[in-house]
């Protein structure tokens, strides 16, 4: 049986603002969910912590009003003593929200000194208006799980018309105008470890400030639960599927290879 009180207390289940969640890298991270009503993404990654994405789309529109997000933010901000960073993520791809730029500006006015980060799958960065909205962010983390179109389609299972070429074009265009920190986050499984030279070449081309190497240690939920926003623990009973991960030794070999090939900075899930 679900403990409703516990869920809402811990994860602010009825709010577009959730957490703060303790992050080993950033301290207390407060999540902003610009999607909120249902899981909506231009990807349907087979490892997504939200489970099967309910609305697989790359349609940009207003999913939740900016005023609602700012009101939710004010409430949590007043109640919390320590918020080290604000992260846009939540129930899907945050750049699908047409008002993401308004949210960033509004929260900047309320908390000018708190760094703002976004986790994005980069599918919409090919649009100049989306890139423009993100320029004030302190850090943009882009997802990159594949170095070829076939693997991209298998792992990320994108909305129709979304291609790896479009993602890479968007990231490179962003790099030209964005002055903040650009990071790449990659999920490695036995599925995508075969084309490493091509992956290294893409990284060399992008020149991110940091590359995070992950493997899906969290099981795949059978269905969407809003509680899974930023949540690393299962707090009530629902069906999950365990996924194949890269073990520590394989992750170390991968990291060594990529460091040698690219000379970039890496962070591995095992370190
Ligand atoms: S991009 Fe993120 S939210 Fe979208 S399906 Fe993949 S893991 Fe889930």
């Amino acid at each position: 049986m679900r403990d409703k009180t516990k869920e809402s207390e811990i994860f602010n289940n009825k709010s577009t603002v959730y957490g703060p969640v303790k992050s080993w890298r950033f301290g207390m991270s407060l999540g902003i969910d610009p999607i909120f009503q249902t899981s909506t993404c231009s990807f349907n990654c087979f490892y997504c912590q939200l489970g099967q994405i309910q609305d697989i789309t790359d349609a940009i529109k207003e999913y939740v009003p900016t005023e609602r997000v700012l009101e939710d933010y004010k409430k949590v901000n007043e109640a919390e003593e320590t918020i080290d960073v604000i992260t846009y993520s939540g129930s899907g791809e945050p750049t699908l929200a047409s008002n993401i730029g308004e949210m960033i500006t509004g929260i900047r006015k309320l908390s000018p000194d708190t760094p703002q980060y976004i986790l994005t799958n980069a599918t919409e960065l090919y649009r100049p208006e989306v890139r423009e909205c993100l320029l004030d962010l302190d850090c943009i983390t882009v997802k990159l799980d594949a170095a070829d179109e076939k693997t991209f389609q298998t792992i990320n299972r994108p909305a129709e018309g979304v291609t790896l070429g479009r993602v890479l074009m968007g990231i490179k265009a962003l790099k030209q105008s964005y002055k903040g920190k650009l990071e790449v986050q990659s999920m490695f499984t036995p599925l995508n470890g075969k084309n490493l030279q091509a992956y290294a070449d893409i990284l060399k081309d992008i020149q991110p400030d940091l590359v995070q190497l992950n493997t899906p240690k969290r099981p795949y939920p059978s269905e969407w639960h809003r509680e899974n926003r930023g949540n690393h623990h299962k707090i009530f009973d629902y069906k999950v599927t365990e996924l194949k991960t890269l073990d520590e030794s394989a992750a170390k070999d991968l990291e060594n290879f990529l460091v040698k090939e690219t000379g970039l900075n890496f962070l591995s899930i095992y370190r």
Side-chain angles (χ1 to χ4, degrees), residues 41-45 47-50 53 92-93 121 143 156:
C41 192
S42 42
F43 280 175
N44 180 24
C45 304
Y47 57 78
C48 182
Q49 71 184 79
L50 302 172
I53 294 295
E93 171 49 40
N121 64 19
K143 178 183 291 302
N156 301 121

Side-chain angles (χ1 to χ4, degrees), residues 37 46 71 98 100 155 166 169 171 176 185 203 207:
Q37 296 298 345
F46 79 89
E71 282 310 309
S98 56
I100 182 81
I155 292 180
R166 171 170 137 179
M169 192 267 262
I171 297 173
Q176 284 172 12
Q185 193 175 63
L203 291 180
Q207 288 290 310

Side-chain angles (χ1 to χ4, degrees), residues 39 48-53 90-92 220-221 223-225 228-229:
S39 65
C48 182
Q49 71 184 79
L50 302 172
Q52 165 72 29
I53 294 295
S91 301
Y220 181 70
E223 57 199 47
W224 178 58
H225 301 280
N228 282 357
R229 300 179 304 184

